[in-house]
Amino acid sequence: MTKKTALHIISSARESDSYSKGLSMAIVDKLARKHEIDTVIERDLTKGSPPFLNGNLIGAFYKDPRSVNEEERRLLEYADSVVNDVSSADILVLGTPMYNLGMSALLKAWIDQLVRFGVTYGYDENGARKGRLNGKKVYLAIASGGKLEDWPNTKEFIASHVSAVFNAYVGTTEIHTFRVEGTAMPGFQADYEKILENL
Ligand SMILES: Cc1cc2nc3c(=O)[nH]c(=O)nc-3n(C[C@H](O)[C@H](O)[C@H](O)COP(=O)(O)O)c2cc1C
């Protein structure tokens, strides 16, 4: 069997209390049990936050790599490590809490380090945008205190955002979303097996 690697991204700081981490770990475990992956690279973003974009880094992002100077090379180190992690993975398992209807700022900052013109996407001779890190699968694990069914569809921002970014700027079209919902409701108990029964 071909060796397959999963990159597991954790973005809730609540450690073993975190439901998004519990769900993303259950996804990793199930994929391993089904022999869909045999290697897991784990990155806990709470142990070392991705840097926020700033003017110098954005400048370095758009510079011809051949003319990047020493200082810019240093600024690009984190972004390059994210690109390496994603490039070497077949499957991405992204865990995020819902904060104020959106994804965790850590996960957003990580995505901002990943996406780069000329690296994760480019344009073909007809001017059409093409993602360059093709053929990967993304499993998105979202934990929320409330339930999506209590909101109008237009208020879904996490899966729609992650799918749009990975489709447009990375080249990943296969995205599966799983949700552990109602974590703030009285008597809540997580049943990851049930949530993942179709995985
Ligand atoms: C700052 C903050 C904002 C939150 N915003 C929302 C929200 O907009 N909608 C919601 O359903 N739950 C919200 N919650 C609840 C979390 O989504 C819930 O506690 C979830 O389990 C967090 O993920 P975790 O268990 O992986 O840490 C929020 C929690 C915090 C701390």
Side-chain angles (χ1 to χ4, degrees), residues 12-14 17-21 96-102 143-147 151 180 183-184:
S12 164
R14 296 190 328 111
D17 291 336
S18 162
Y19 293 109
S20 59
K21 182 175 173 184
T96 183
M98 178 184 286
Y99 289 150
N100 306 318
L101 301 181
S144 57
K147 293 186 177 181
W151 290 90
V180 50
T183 65

Side-chain angles (χ1 to χ4, degrees), residues 9-15 17-24 44-46 94-108 140-146 156-159 162 178-180 183:
I9 301 294
I10 296 161
S11 68
S12 164
R14 296 190 328 111
E15 310 237 323
D17 291 336
S18 162
Y19 293 109
S20 59
K21 182 175 173 184
L23 181 57
S24 59
D44 184 340
L45 304 182
T46 70
L94 311 177
T96 183
M98 178 184 286
Y99 289 150
N100 306 318
L101 301 181
M103 74 181 88
S104 140
L106 288 171
L107 182 60
K108 176 61 168 56
L140 180 61
I142 304 171
S144 57
E156 201 298 302
F157 298 115
I158 302 180
V162 170
F178 295 96
R179 298 173 192 277
V180 50
T183 65

Side-chain angles (χ1 to χ4, degrees), residues 5-183:
T5 299
L7 175 65
H8 179 198
I9 301 294
I10 296 161
S11 68
S12 164
R14 296 190 328 111
E15 310 237 323
S16 56
D17 291 336
S18 162
Y19 293 109
S20 59
K21 182 175 173 184
L23 181 57
S24 59
M25 281 173 59
I27 293 171
V28 169
D29 286 350
K30 190 152 184 186
L31 293 173
R33 270 189 278 130
K34 290 171 70 183
H35 304 291
E36 290 193 23
I37 53 169
D38 46 27
T39 306
V40 181
I41 300 168
E42 185 180 289
R43 300 286 182 234
D44 184 340
L45 304 182
T46 70
K47 306 276 190 252
S49 306
F52 285 160
L53 297 179
N54 61 35
N56 291 340
L57 181 54
I58 291 170
F61 269 10
Y62 284 96
K63 215 165 165 183
D64 181 333
R66 289 166 300 188
S67 57
V68 160
N69 63 32
E70 214 32 60
E71 153 111 40
E72 288 161 337
R73 205 178 308 283
R74 213 170 27 75
L75 284 174
L76 288 167
E77 267 172 17
Y78 189 95
D80 287 343
S81 75
V82 173
V83 171
N84 283 341
D85 278 351
V86 172
S87 299
S88 60
D90 304 284
I91 289 179
L92 312 182
V93 182
L94 311 177
T96 183
M98 178 184 286
Y99 289 150
N100 306 318
L101 301 181
M103 74 181 88
S104 140
L106 288 171
L107 182 60
K108 176 61 168 56
W110 181 85
I111 290 173
D112 288 342
Q113 293 287 322
L114 166 67
V115 171
R116 204 187 319 171
F117 172 70
V119 178
T120 64
Y121 73 99
Y123 292 91
D124 69 13
E125 61 282 5
N126 302 316
R129 191 179 48 238
K130 291 268 185 276
R132 293 190 173 172
L133 306 183
N134 312 110
K136 300 176 192 302
K137 281 187 203 172
V138 173
Y139 291 93
L140 180 61
I142 304 171
S144 57
K147 293 186 177 181
L148 201 56
E149 67 195 25
D150 296 332
W151 290 90
N153 284 345
T154 50
K155 293 287 185 285
E156 201 298 302
F157 298 115
I158 302 180
S160 55
H161 188 174
V162 170
S163 301
V165 171
F166 274 85
N167 265 282
Y169 299 126
V170 181
T172 306
T173 49
E174 190 175 338
I175 295 168
H176 304 274
T177 300
F178 295 96
R179 298 173 192 277
V180 50
E181 298 187 293
T183 65

